[in-house]
Amino acid sequence: EKAATNEVIEKLVSALGDDESTVRRSACEALGKMGEKAATNEVIEKLVSALGDQDGWVSESACKALAYMGEKAATNEVIDKLVSLLGDQNASVRWNACKALAYMGEKAATNEVIDKLVSLLGDQDDSVRESACEALGKMGEEAATNEVIEMLVSLLGDNDYNVRYSARDTLDNMGEEAATNEVIEMLVSLLGDQDDSVRESACEALGDMGEKAATNEVIEMLVSALEDEHYSVRESACKAL
């Protein structure tokens, strides 16, 4: 950040238009490292343009740079461009667009953004599903709809550990908003899943919901989980109780 003088920033902005894609990419990365210090209107506009670069590495780096600039970059134009990139064919571009929206948090929490992120919860790429969960978790109460919560609960049974963890963490962030009777019933059913990591996640999610989930049925199931064959499930049941 020490290099974030006006002169340096202007030179890097010029480099965003270089003929060589590796130079454009490096310029994006340098501006990203400067964070909010480099988040001028001109820089943000140029990075938005770079999101449409023909070179996937450049557009990916522009996504990251905007992410590092956080809420300062959360303009309507930037958000619209990121939404369009959520449908990109390149999984790494979709991933970075999710990450950028996550950094922007509640400022990016429009209905369109939330709908697009929900659709990515079913993405074929594990890292995209994970980052979509994370982004929804940063959107606050706006994203805590029944549809989102039910999708997140279903992801507690995902094949990928990082996706399961991200889904549980997002449900945790939503707190009591997520503690509906329907969700609690879904979590209780997951306590009987064949996969021990799914049972573990269900225990943790129920524990995070606090008193709203402390029904007789839940307590009985958690007590039963104390005798689970896997120690990680037993440990999570202890913490939930």
Side-chain angles (χ1 to χ4, degrees), residues 105-106 109 114 135-145 173-174 177:
E106 293 186 23
I114 292 168
L136 286 165
K138 302 290 186 185
M139 301 266 157
E141 292 184 4
E142 292 292 325
T145 65
N173 288 340
M174 291 178 177
E177 292 284 333

Side-chain angles (χ1 to χ4, degrees), residues 9-202:
I9 291 170
E10 285 174 13
K11 291 289 186 183
L12 289 170
V13 167
S14 296
L16 291 175
D18 197 276
D19 290 338
E20 287 292 330
S21 61
T22 54
V23 176
R24 299 196 300 276
R25 177 185 176 187
S26 296
C28 288
E29 290 172 350
L31 288 165
K33 286 177 183 176
M34 293 176 183
E36 292 189 1
K37 284 189 176 181
T40 66
N41 290 338
E42 183 185 12
V43 169
I44 291 167
E45 285 173 14
K46 291 288 187 180
L47 288 172
V48 169
S49 296
L51 291 174
D53 198 282
Q54 291 183 340
D55 188 290
W57 291 109
V58 177
S59 60
E60 183 179 334
S61 296
C63 267
K64 285 183 180 177
L66 287 166
Y68 292 141
M69 290 177 187
E71 291 190 355
K72 276 197 173 182
T75 66
N76 290 337
E77 184 185 5
V78 173
I79 292 168
D80 288 345
K81 190 67 178 178
L82 289 170
V83 166
S84 71
L85 289 178
L86 292 176
D88 195 273
Q89 290 184 343
N90 189 328
S92 64
V93 173
R94 298 196 300 278
W95 180 85
N96 277 296
C98 287
K99 286 287 185 182
L101 289 166
Y103 275 102
M104 291 173 186
E106 293 186 23
K107 281 199 171 183
T110 66
N111 289 336
E112 184 183 12
V113 169
I114 292 168
D115 287 345
K116 289 285 189 181
L117 290 171
V118 167
S119 70
L120 288 182
L121 294 178
D123 197 275
Q124 60 185 8
D125 188 277
D126 298 341
S127 63
V128 174
R129 296 198 301 281
E130 178 193 356
S131 59
C133 285
E134 181 188 350
L136 286 165
K138 302 290 186 185
M139 301 266 157
E141 292 184 4
E142 292 292 325
T145 65
N146 290 336
E147 180 189 10
V148 171
I149 291 167
E150 286 173 18
M151 287 287 287
L152 290 169
V153 171
S154 70
L155 286 179
L156 293 175
D158 196 273
N159 292 327
D160 185 84
Y161 169 80
N162 291 322
V163 175
R164 294 196 299 271
Y165 181 85
S166 188
R168 188 190 67 77
D169 194 48
T170 300
L171 285 167
D172 185 21
N173 288 340
M174 291 178 177
E176 293 191 355
E177 292 284 333
T180 65
N181 291 336
E182 189 174 3
V183 170
I184 291 168
E185 285 174 12
M186 290 172 74
L187 290 170
V188 167
S189 69
L190 289 177
L191 290 175
D193 195 273
Q194 292 183 341
D195 190 317
D196 60 282
S197 59
V198 174
R199 300 197 299 277
E200 178 187 352
S201 293

